[in-house]
Amino acid sequence: MAQAKNGDTVKVHYTGKLEDGTVFDSSLERDPLEFTVGGGMVIPGFEEAIVGMKEGESKEVTIPSGEAYGDYNEEMRIEIQKAQIPEDIQPEVGQMLQLRGEDGGATTVTVTHITDDTVTLDANHPLAGKDLMFDLKLVEIAQA
């Protein structure tokens, strides 16, 4: 039976969990995730876990933060004056906002702390710095 390799398009069902067992994402209630192995469309550790699997095979893997969304970077947190936020936006902890750079590009940030005068924004991916556990099932391989 064929094994998944770089260049193959695969369909994978997965459930992603944090170390405490909290599920952060799952494909079980929707179509399986389809991607090309080696195409860089999913986190590196996820791709590596699929290589060598056979159709119908299941396994559990732990992907360290460095092979997932990277380490948490304190420099990607900024504190701004509340007055810098447009009046039509009422910031709340956990809220996702878009910041526009001088080049017109957008960066997604999460509001992490609010005081009377300041708002702390975090541009790290919400899963940065976390080791991720995945239950994987390789549903289909389309050979390259």
Side-chain angles (χ1 to χ4, degrees):
M1 182 176 265
Q3 294 180 318
K5 63 186 181 314
N6 275 349
D8 289 343
T9 297
V10 296
K11 291 183 180 179
V12 178
H13 267 305
Y14 67 91
T15 298
K17 297 179 278 194
L18 302 176
E19 289 178 299
D20 67 3
T22 303
V23 174
F24 62 84
D25 194 14
S26 178
S27 68
L28 297 180
E29 299 296 321
R30 58 184 189 263
D31 290 336
L33 174 65
E34 183 174 343
F35 66 96
T36 300
V37 179
M41 299 299 294
V42 297
I43 58 175
F46 193 99
E47 273 191 336
E48 291 169 18
I50 298 301
V51 172
M53 287 182 72
K54 299 175 180 149
E55 277 187 16
E57 184 178 351
S58 296
K59 72 178 177 181
E60 294 179 19
V61 297
T62 298
I63 301 173
S65 64
E67 295 174 31
Y69 293 97
D71 294 326
Y72 188 86
N73 182 349
E74 287 290 337
E75 293 178 11
M76 293 180 72
R77 285 180 40 176
I78 60 168
E79 186 176 272
I80 63 169
Q81 293 299 310
K82 228 182 213 179
Q84 292 179 264
I85 296 178
E87 289 181 21
D88 62 325
I89 297 175
Q90 297 300 316
E92 297 177 22
V93 172
Q95 183 178 25
M96 307 277 279
L97 301 172
Q98 293 258 316
L99 298 182
R100 294 260 177 238
E102 292 177 16
D103 63 356
T107 299
T108 300
V109 296
T110 304
V111 176
T112 58
H113 187 74
I114 301 171
T115 68
D116 289 340
D117 301 318
T118 64
V119 176
T120 303
L121 304 174
D122 190 343
N124 283 286
H125 187 282
L127 296 174
K130 294 179 172 37
D131 295 340
L132 308 178
M133 279 138 289
F134 285 94
D135 295 326
L136 304 172
K137 181 173 184 178
L138 182 56
V139 177
E140 183 181 316
I141 302 172
Q143 298 295 317

